[in-house]
Amino acid sequence: MKKKAIMMLALGLMTLTASAQEKKSIELPAWVQSMKLSGYGMVQYQGSDKKNAEQNSFNLRLVRLALEGRAHKDFYYKAQMQINGTTKDDATAIRLIDLFGEWQKYEFFRVKAGQFKRPFTFENPMHPITQGFMSYSQNVSKLSGFSDRTGEQASNGRDIGLQVQGDFLKVNGRNWLHYQVGVFNGEGINTKDKDNRKDIIGGLWVMPIDGLRIGAFGWKGSRAGVGEKNRYAISGEYAKNDWTFRTEYIHSQGYGANAAAGDKADGYYALAIAPIIEKKLHVKARYDLYRDQKDWASSKTYYEIGADYLFTKNLQLNIEYARVNERTGHNNYNLVDVELDFRF
């Protein structure tokens, strides 16, 4: 009886071991393994002494959640939601900002479809944290589809459409040329085309040395109720060894939401970010000019200095001071911005 019990126990243990081994050998499909959920938040304090418009407030700048992965080894996808710090019951509080898929089989020819960043300027597609300052530059915000001059809904530089892009002319393992061109509705995010005319946007840049890129962009399109949009941008950037220098000029022809403002606008910025402690502590400065009527009487200029400190790669503190000059209304005032940014 004792021998029989021992044999039964041994048989049970062998069965459990075999079952455990069998479970270990089960593998999830590649598309499931590739799925990644991530996000980040930006908490802000901002104060200014602008005459008759003083403000001093904490703010939840934004929170984003993203799901990405590969439906196939050659097909990448991403969906991203944004939540802003507002109690308003409108489309800007919680909204879908990205939903696209991209066929990536060939480095020199990739095809993207859905809702995503417009291929215009270097700064527009940059991450809000890594672009380096308390906000995107004025010309990118006003002329790339954030709070666009045309009056389209806030779209974070995005639109719905189809794009092809690629890198080629590889020398010593590094591509020298990049191109991108797309066709879009021209209305911003989550909106069908209202005038049945498409925006064509494209860019080309060269990378002659490691860390340096010089590019040019063009944009021809329209928006229902506003009319033509004709824009171009000239861009340059050097980013290497934790140093960043970037500058871009954008010119726009076409009436905005306020037709009385005329049909031309332009803007220019130049910035530098320098490491004090590499990948830990940086100081920075930016000159940021926007002219809503392409004349000095309509200009607004930010003279900015600041610093950031990375506690870890996922937690960063940013402090900035700006002296702001508004020619309209002859306003000169000070602005302070402090942000705590985190990723998860």
Side-chain angles (χ1 to χ4, degrees):
M1 186 71 179
K2 188 176 181 181
K3 288 183 178 180
K4 186 176 180 181
I6 293 172
M7 289 179 64
M8 291 291 289
L9 179 60
L11 181 61
L13 289 172
M14 290 173 64
T15 303
L16 287 172
T17 302
S19 176
Q21 289 176 345
E22 185 178 345
K23 286 181 181 178
K24 286 182 180 179
S25 67
I26 295 175
E27 290 189 9
L28 294 172
W31 69 270
V32 175
Q33 294 185 49
S34 73
M35 291 177 66
K36 178 184 176 183
L37 180 65
S38 63
Y40 59 93
M42 306 178 78
V43 181
Q44 179 184 52
Y45 166 82
Q46 193 170 91
S48 79
D49 61 358
K50 183 177 180 179
K51 187 176 181 181
N52 299 322
E54 294 86 353
Q55 60 105 358
N56 176 348
S57 180
F58 292 103
N59 178 44
L60 304 179
R61 182 176 165 188
L62 60 82
V63 174
R64 285 184 180 169
L65 295 172
L67 178 67
E68 59 189 311
R70 291 189 174 274
H72 180 271
K73 66 177 182 177
D74 298 326
F75 190 87
Y76 168 80
Y77 67 85
K78 182 175 183 178
Q80 184 169 214
M81 300 291 297
Q82 176 169 309
I83 306 169
N84 286 81
T86 176
T87 56
K88 294 180 181 179
D89 183 19
D90 60 23
T92 65
I94 301 176
R95 62 189 186 274
L96 177 71
I97 57 171
D98 285 303
L99 181 62
F100 65 84
E102 185 175 41
W103 182 64
Q104 299 180 336
K105 186 180 177 89
Y106 301 109
E107 188 178 27
F108 63 87
F109 185 76
R110 298 182 175 187
V111 184
K112 182 186 291 187
Q115 181 167 286
F116 50 90
K117 284 283 192 175
R118 288 165 162 139
F120 191 72
T121 76
F122 285 164
E123 187 167 281
N124 179 22
M126 290 182 178
H127 192 287
I129 296 176
T130 56
Q131 69 85 19
F133 287 80
M134 61 182 170
S135 63
Y136 290 86
S137 57
Q138 295 181 91
N139 59 353
V140 171
S141 295
K142 293 293 185 183
L143 304 175
S144 291
F146 286 77
S147 54
D148 201 272
R149 185 175 188 266
T150 60
E152 77 174 31
Q153 62 182 316
S155 295
N156 299 98
R158 293 164 166 86
D159 204 347
I160 305 173
L162 177 71
Q163 174 181 296
V164 295
Q165 65 178 353
D167 298 278
F168 60 99
L169 196 59
K170 186 169 287 189
V171 179
N172 297 325
R174 180 173 54 81
N175 288 302
W176 278 51
L177 289 175
H178 173 88
Y179 74 92
Q180 52 192 38
V181 60
V183 54
F184 301 88
N185 283 341
E187 302 293 338
I189 61 174
N190 308 321
T191 305
K192 290 183 177 180
D193 200 340
K194 296 179 180 178
D195 63 1
N196 295 320
R197 301 171 65 186
K198 300 295 181 285
D199 285 15
I200 307 297
I201 308 174
L204 177 72
W205 63 76
V206 297
M207 296 164 281
I209 63 174
D210 189 25
L212 175 67
R213 55 179 178 159
I214 302 169
F217 302 83
W219 181 342
K220 184 171 182 59
S222 64
R223 182 170 180 266
V226 175
E228 295 291 325
K229 276 185 293 189
N230 299 302
R231 297 172 177 174
Y232 69 83
I234 306 297
S235 308
E237 181 186 60
Y238 179 77
K240 189 176 180 182
N241 298 330
D242 215 25
W243 288 79
T244 300
F245 301 93
R246 187 168 67 251
T247 183
E248 298 191 273
Y249 172 79
I250 306 175
H251 179 276
S252 175
Q253 183 275 321
Y255 286 96
N258 178 14
D263 71 339
K264 288 185 174 62
D266 69 354
Y268 167 81
Y269 75 85
L271 64 82
I273 303 173
I276 301 300
I277 303 174
E278 190 170 350
K279 301 187 184 303
K280 198 74 174 176
L281 175 64
H282 305 85
V283 292
K284 60 187 74 174
R286 179 170 70 172
Y287 172 82
D288 180 8
L289 164 72
Y290 175 68
R291 304 191 301 175
D292 196 50
Q293 299 178 43
K294 203 186 174 184
D295 60 23
W296 290 105
S298 65
S299 70
K300 183 175 182 178
T301 309
Y302 285 77
Y303 304 88
E304 301 170 60
I305 57 172
D308 63 58
Y309 183 80
L310 283 73
F311 297 96
T312 72
K313 66 178 182 179
N314 292 325
L315 182 62
Q316 179 175 325
L317 179 66
N318 310 277
I319 301 173
E320 284 186 55
Y321 165 78
R323 179 66 175 173
V324 186
N325 172 248
E326 289 182 343
R327 293 288 183 91
T328 304
H330 305 286
N331 254 322
N332 293 294
Y333 59 93
N334 304 295
L335 186 151
V336 174
D337 184 274
V338 181
E339 291 188 20
L340 183 66
D341 303 331
F342 54 90
R343 308 172 194 243
F344 51 88

